[in-house]
Amino acid sequence: MTTKPDLLIIPAWLRNSLLALCTAALAACSTTSTTQQGTVGIEREQRFSSLVPAEQLRQGAEQAYQEVLAKARQEGRLDTDEQALQRVRRITQDLIPATAVFREEAPGWDWEIHVISSEEVNAWAMPGGKMAVYTGIIDKLDLSDAELAAILGHEMAHALREHGRERASRAATQQLAIGVIGAATGASQDVAKLADMTLNLTFNLPNSRTQESEADRMGIELAARAGYDPRAAVSLWRKMSEVSGGNPPKFLSTHPPHDERIQELQRYADVVMPLYQQARDG
């Protein structure tokens, strides 16, 4: 004989909490349809939370960035390689004017980049264009200027596309959910400061595969428009694969599989080759 399973009875307090959660989450999110297409065509719709205003996040990123720089300075690892620093800043300055293709106001941002002496193969960008490159990625991969431009363009694309704000919005919504349920059960949950959230997003929580693919495509276009061979992105990835034994470095851990990524990089390098040739001829 079979018996029917008992119906799930949801307590009134939990039902009300979930309803409040859904209402609050919907109210906290706004949808933006991007116009940042460029030649590579970036059209994905993005969701940002009103709990994470762009300007406040940039202020939080600035605070977090200064904390990272202060720690590296105290340890004697900040901008100690003068040659690498000047090289990185020269290429960054070449790339900045091209950012207007994706965001008209971006060339006027307070872009900033430093070099941190470390064996780690790493580079990153915080919201608003606060960036760092580690000497490990330059030295271990023996980067050409075009390959370094591919890395810098990739990281700048994350800032242009506000990928950090996207991830912060998801985190804020999750915190909101915890707060609503916690209030119903008598628990408490502190909300992290945006500076702390920025540090966590930069160093602990990887970008999504979609975000990384967008940064690849936009980075290739930025490099091409600045006069750097976009095909260097392909040789860069091959070097990374060799150094990491076939696995991407931590900061690229959510990228597509090796072969798939190589094909995508080659495809978009071909798309932007006319931009590179125009920049070189001009």
Side-chain angles (χ1 to χ4, degrees):
M1 185 177 71
T2 60
T3 59
K4 294 181 179 179
D6 293 335
L7 294 176
L8 177 61
I9 304 300
I10 301 178
W13 69 266
L14 179 56
R15 183 171 62 252
N16 293 335
S17 295
L18 292 175
L19 178 59
L21 167 61
C22 293
T23 302
L26 287 173
C29 292
S30 58
T31 302
T32 299
S33 296
T34 179
T35 57
Q36 304 173 54
Q37 294 187 6
T39 299
V40 294
I42 304 295
E43 300 176 335
R44 180 176 61 88
E45 187 178 74
Q46 294 176 282
R47 285 187 176 274
F48 299 118
S49 173
S50 60
L51 298 172
V52 188
E55 184 56 34
Q56 289 186 19
L57 184 62
R58 288 191 187 187
Q59 292 173 3
E62 172 65 30
Q63 179 180 333
Y65 191 59
Q66 294 306 320
E67 291 176 10
V68 173
L69 297 184
K71 184 174 186 294
R73 184 181 296 110
Q74 184 180 16
E75 296 171 348
R77 299 189 298 116
L78 182 67
D79 297 334
T80 56
D81 188 330
E82 184 64 25
Q83 183 177 359
L85 177 63
Q86 294 305 318
R87 184 183 179 206
V88 164
R89 287 184 170 172
R90 169 176 55 81
I91 295 173
T92 300
Q93 288 301 314
D94 289 342
L95 293 170
I96 287 174
T99 61
V101 173
F102 296 102
R103 297 189 70 133
E104 184 178 357
E105 77 282 7
W109 286 5
D110 187 19
W111 294 94
E112 186 174 355
I113 188 164
H114 292 271
V115 173
I116 297 176
S117 296
S118 169
E119 291 295 312
E120 188 175 350
V121 177
N122 201 2
W124 44 262
M126 290 181 179
K130 304 302 182 184
M131 304 164 61
V133 175
Y134 292 21
T135 54
I137 199 170
I138 299 174
D139 298 337
K140 290 183 180 181
L141 273 60
D142 189 22
L143 296 177
S144 67
D145 280 2
E147 290 168 338
L148 187 50
I151 291 174
L152 294 172
H154 175 99
E155 296 306 323
M156 293 170 79
H158 281 308
L160 291 168
R161 191 71 171 130
E162 294 189 86
H163 287 155
R165 188 180 174 204
E166 270 193 301
R167 289 182 292 145
S169 294
R170 288 196 296 270
T173 301
Q174 291 171 355
Q175 289 175 344
L176 177 63
I178 293 172
V180 171
I181 297 300
T185 59
S188 62
Q189 177 71 25
D190 293 333
V191 178
K193 295 180 180 179
L194 284 177
D196 294 334
M197 180 182 289
T198 301
L199 289 171
N200 191 36
L201 292 171
T202 301
F203 298 108
N204 299 324
L205 301 178
N207 293 289
S208 71
R209 177 168 166 173
T210 296
Q211 290 175 334
E212 291 289 2
S213 293
E214 288 178 348
D216 272 350
R217 292 160 60 181
M218 292 171 65
I220 283 177
E221 180 163 346
L222 290 174
R225 288 181 179 275
Y228 294 96
D229 192 336
R231 294 169 295 190
V234 177
S235 61
L236 167 66
W237 175 251
R238 288 184 174 136
K239 286 184 178 181
M240 285 184 174
S241 181
E242 292 173 2
V243 168
S244 58
N247 296 314
K250 181 180 179 181
F251 82 114
L252 296 176
S253 60
T254 53
H255 273 262
H258 174 70
D259 291 340
E260 180 182 331
R261 182 163 186 259
I262 288 291
Q263 292 174 4
E264 183 171 291
L265 290 171
Q266 289 176 330
R267 181 167 63 255
Y268 284 102
D270 291 340
V271 169
V272 301
M273 276 302 291
L275 299 175
Y276 165 63
Q277 292 166 350
Q278 181 179 355
R280 297 296 292 177
D281 294 341

